[in-house]
């Protein structure tokens, strides 16, 4: 979920897979979402979520982690949301390598359709030449190279690793969908037992830290589900924009 990746809906949106909605992305959010870790490997999984606003289901979202080769993975997100006359459909993907529990982004893509104009974004990490490229543009982004820099999905792998390791404050250098360099900052604020469509779950609460108090984003990560996000809240000026809740989870291995 960008939660933060995420890139959340700008008005009253929410992620989904069959149904639609009005604005932007999760991440998070677009909006923090799942991953699972065993030794130095990631465990492929598929997670499905209900997307709600004020208790009303507006659609659903899917996050899926796939292994492409020995050290290369793909984290994918799909949503299809509907709210009144507004619709929002999107697909988002991060291709990255993974060594020593560190993700290194190679390619990020985002495509949107719906009430708002259709858009397509691409960020390519040319690690050999230490350059960043936006969409299919010929010239690189004017930004200093930083090996630790992530896209708005790949950082979520690092976030879960850090939460699993017991860290309570985390910060990640990010290149967003527009090619802007930013910092995503988080803090663990406690634990909580919650009830979801998938059942009762023990969770760790993680809050995204913003420059001001206008925006709010909180994610609940569950050790039983490989420290994936099982619930997320996104708000602005104290008003709920959306809530997502886990309804199914399939992984190739059980949690530790």
């Amino acid at each position: 979920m960008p939660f933060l990746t995420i890139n959340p809906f700008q008005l009253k949106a929410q992620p989904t897979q069959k149904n639609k909605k009005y604005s932007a992305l999760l991440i998070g959010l677009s909006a923090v979402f799942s991953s699972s870790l065993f030794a130095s490997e990631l465990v492929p999984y598929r997670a499905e979520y209900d997307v709600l606003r004020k208790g009303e289901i507006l659609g659903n979202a899917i996050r899926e982690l796939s292994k492409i080769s020995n050290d290369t993975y793909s984290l994918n997100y799909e949503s299809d949301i509907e709210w009144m006359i507004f619709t929002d459909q999107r697909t988002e993907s991060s291709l990255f390598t993974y060594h020593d529990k560190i993700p290194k982004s190679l390619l990020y893509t985002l495509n949107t359709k719906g009430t708002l104009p259709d858009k397509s974004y691409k960020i390519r990490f040319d690690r050999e030449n230490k350059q960043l490229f936006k969409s299919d543009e010929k010239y690189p982004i004017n930004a200093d190279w930083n090996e630790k820099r992530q896209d708005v999905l790949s950082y979520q792998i690092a976030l879960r690793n850090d939460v699993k390791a017991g860290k309570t404050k985390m910060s990640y250098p990010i290149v967003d969908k527009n090619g802007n360099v930013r910092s995503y900052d988080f803090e663990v604020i406690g634990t909580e037992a919650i009830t979801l469509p998938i059942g009762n779950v023990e969770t760790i609460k993680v809050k995204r830290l913003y420059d001001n108090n206008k925006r709010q984003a909180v994610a609940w990560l569950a050790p039983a589900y490989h420290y994936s996000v099982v619930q997320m809240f996104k708000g602005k000026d104290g008003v709920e924009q959306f809530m997502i809740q886990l309804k199914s989870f399939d992984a190739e291995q059980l949690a530790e």
Side-chain angles (χ1 to χ4, degrees):
M1 14 320 2
F3 145 49
L4 335 132
T5 22
I6 80 173
N7 290 62
F9 294 109
Q10 285 146 3
L11 284 183
K12 307 164 184 177
Q14 288 127 301
T16 175
Q17 200 213 349
K18 273 294 172 193
N19 277 328
K20 314 161 190 175
K21 162 85 192 150
Y22 180 21
S23 269
L25 195 191
L26 283 180
I27 107 138
L29 296 206
S30 5
V32 183
F33 274 115
S34 12
S35 74
S36 38
L37 315 164
F38 286 89
S40 61
E41 286 192 10
L42 294 175
V43 179
Y45 70 89
R46 176 185 172 91
E48 296 190 25
Y49 303 81
D50 283 330
V51 181
L52 309 95
R53 184 174 186 274
K54 296 183 178 180
E56 177 186 359
I57 295 178
L58 303 181
N60 62 78
I62 291 179
R63 292 275 176 171
E64 190 165 13
L65 179 67
S66 303
K67 188 171 185 177
I68 307 301
S69 66
N70 285 341
D71 64 352
T72 306
Y73 293 80
S74 177
L75 181 59
N76 302 299
Y77 164 75
E78 298 178 20
S79 70
D80 184 359
I81 301 166
E82 184 176 301
W83 183 69
M84 299 177 68
I85 64 171
F86 302 106
T87 66
D88 184 89
Q89 296 172 297
R90 61 188 60 231
T91 58
E92 188 181 9
S93 179
S94 173
L95 184 70
F96 61 93
T97 60
Y98 190 74
H99 297 283
D100 299 324
K101 296 187 178 182
I102 299 174
K104 292 188 175 182
S105 185
L106 300 174
L107 179 66
Y108 168 82
T109 60
L110 170 65
N111 295 286
T112 69
K113 295 191 303 181
T115 304
L116 299 178
D118 297 353
K119 292 183 179 180
S120 180
Y121 302 93
K122 183 186 297 183
I123 297 292
R124 180 166 62 88
F125 292 69
D126 184 346
R127 295 195 170 273
E128 182 177 354
N129 296 305
K130 301 185 184 302
Q131 293 179 320
L132 296 163
F133 290 86
K134 179 182 175 183
S135 298
D136 294 315
E137 294 176 7
K138 180 179 179 180
Y139 298 103
I141 294 170
N142 184 21
D144 292 337
W145 180 259
N146 182 342
E147 276 292 324
K148 296 181 179 180
R149 201 163 278 150
Q150 304 284 345
D151 65 54
V152 295
L153 280 184
S154 66
Y155 86 88
Q156 297 164 10
I157 304 296
L159 174 66
R160 281 165 182 69
N161 287 8
D162 288 340
V163 171
K164 183 175 181 179
K167 293 184 180 180
T168 57
K169 288 194 174 183
M170 295 77 69
S171 182
Y172 307 100
I174 303 293
V175 180
D176 68 17
K177 67 181 187 298
N178 294 310
N180 298 318
V181 175
R182 309 170 61 186
S183 177
Y184 281 14
D185 304 312
F186 303 91
E187 181 179 11
V188 172
I189 57 175
T191 60
E192 186 177 359
I194 59 176
T195 300
L196 301 171
I198 200 169
N200 297 327
V201 185
E202 297 288 338
T203 68
I204 300 169
K205 293 177 66 175
V206 180
K207 178 181 180 180
R208 181 171 171 185
L209 305 176
Y210 292 100
D211 293 335
N212 55 59
N213 295 323
K214 291 185 176 181
R215 292 178 291 171
Q216 303 84 41
V218 180
W220 287 254
L221 283 64
Y225 293 100
H226 307 312
Y227 289 81
S228 297
V229 170
V230 294
Q231 179 170 272
M232 187 174 72
F233 170 86
K234 183 75 179 177
K236 186 174 182 180
D237 294 326
V239 177
E240 178 185 343
Q241 291 181 302
F242 65 82
M243 173 82 81
I244 67 164
Q245 295 185 328
L246 185 69
K247 63 179 180 180
S248 72
F249 188 90
D250 294 305
E252 293 186 2
Q253 293 176 259
L254 297 176
E256 294 176 308

